[in-house]
Amino acid sequence: GCSDEASVTVEQNITHADAVITGNDILTFDLTSVTLDASSSTADGDFTYLWSNGATTASINVNEAGTYTVTITGENGCSDEASVTVEKNDTTADAVITGNEILNCNTTSITLDASTSTADGNFTYLWSDGSTGATLTVTAPGIYSVTVTGENGCSDEASVTVEQNITPAEAAITGNEILTCELTSITLNAGSSTADGTASYLWNDGSTEATLTVTAPGIYSVTVTGENGCSDEASVTVEQNITHAD
């Protein structure tokens, strides 16, 4: 009739693991890598990490877009998984300048315009003179450039060479003589004038030819204008001697 009894207490540890990943950001031309951090995860005891790329540290550096997963395993064997998708914004910038013209005596200023450029988001402008607007007013010849930078840090540069043609005009009148009883008309000639390209003529009587026939004394002037808008004026005084013989 002798008996004995023994007992044990079976305990249970099913503390749950909770995997968390912080630090996710969009990769750009400025931000070329991000650090994914799972150290704020919780699990039983000294838990372990196992990333989808094989890493076993609490954090990993990522420089490529994709989905990254970490598995947290506690000392009790309970595990949890978390994943994040790292995105990449590599939208390129394309700088464009329009509005370039040759400066001359008529066109003394031009507006260079970069507003047709493209880049990520609300992009910025930076001209070679330090200006930051979409347009730039130019009054002198030279090389002008603009750098367009998108929100993702991607930038592009465009440049134009502004030229200037201010070749001066030089008006000249030949053929002036004194009108007399025998010489009743003369031809004033501005054809030896010089100007840019094909010159135009405007006499003070409204004539537009290179020559002007004159039958009366007086002051005659001509304005010579080149294709670049530069002009010059010349004038002569035509005299008359019709003193009668007696």
Side-chain angles (χ1 to χ4, degrees):
C2 296
S3 64
D4 189 26
E5 180 181 315
S7 63
V8 294
T9 300
V10 177
E11 296 181 353
Q12 184 179 48
N13 181 352
I14 55 171
T15 302
H16 296 290
D18 184 17
V20 177
I21 300 175
T22 61
N24 188 18
D25 208 342
I26 298 176
L27 297 171
T28 66
F29 284 85
D30 285 336
L31 185 65
T32 57
S33 69
V34 296
T35 299
L36 301 180
D37 190 349
S39 63
S40 60
S41 302
T42 57
D44 181 62
D46 293 325
F47 51 89
T48 61
Y49 306 89
L50 180 60
W51 292 88
S52 50
N53 66 353
T56 58
T57 53
S59 62
I60 58 172
N61 289 323
V62 171
N63 54 27
E64 294 292 338
T67 300
Y68 295 85
T69 303
V70 67
T71 300
I72 305 298
T73 304
E75 290 182 355
N76 62 355
C78 294
S79 63
D80 189 35
E81 181 179 282
S83 64
V84 293
T85 299
V86 177
E87 298 179 353
K88 187 174 184 177
N89 182 349
D90 55 2
T91 302
T92 58
D94 183 20
V96 177
I97 300 175
T98 60
N100 188 16
E101 295 183 57
I102 297 176
L103 297 171
N104 54 41
C105 292
N106 281 335
T107 304
T108 57
S109 71
I110 60 174
T111 299
L112 301 179
D113 190 346
S115 64
T116 59
S117 303
T118 57
D120 179 63
N122 294 318
F123 52 89
T124 61
Y125 306 89
L126 179 60
W127 293 88
S128 47
D129 72 341
S131 301
T132 57
T135 61
L136 179 68
T137 300
V138 170
T139 59
I143 298 174
Y144 296 86
S145 63
V146 66
T147 300
V148 175
T149 304
E151 289 184 355
N152 63 351
C154 181
S155 62
D156 188 39
E157 181 179 308
S159 63
V160 294
T161 300
V162 176
E163 299 179 352
Q164 186 177 50
N165 179 357
I166 52 172
T167 302
E170 185 176 356
I173 300 175
T174 61
N176 187 18
E177 295 185 59
I178 299 175
L179 296 171
T180 65
C181 292
E182 292 183 345
L183 186 65
T184 57
S185 71
I186 59 173
T187 299
L188 300 180
N189 192 340
S192 62
S193 303
T194 57
D196 178 65
T198 302
S200 63
Y201 306 90
L202 180 60
W203 295 88
N204 57 337
D205 72 342
S207 301
T208 57
E209 301 297 326
T211 60
L212 179 68
T213 299
V214 171
T215 58
I219 298 174
Y220 295 86
S221 63
V222 66
T223 299
V224 176
T225 303
E227 291 181 358
N228 62 356
C230 298
S231 61
D232 188 38
E233 182 179 308
S235 63
V236 293
T237 300
V238 175
E239 298 180 353
Q240 184 179 50
N241 182 356
I242 52 173
T243 303
H244 293 287
D246 187 5

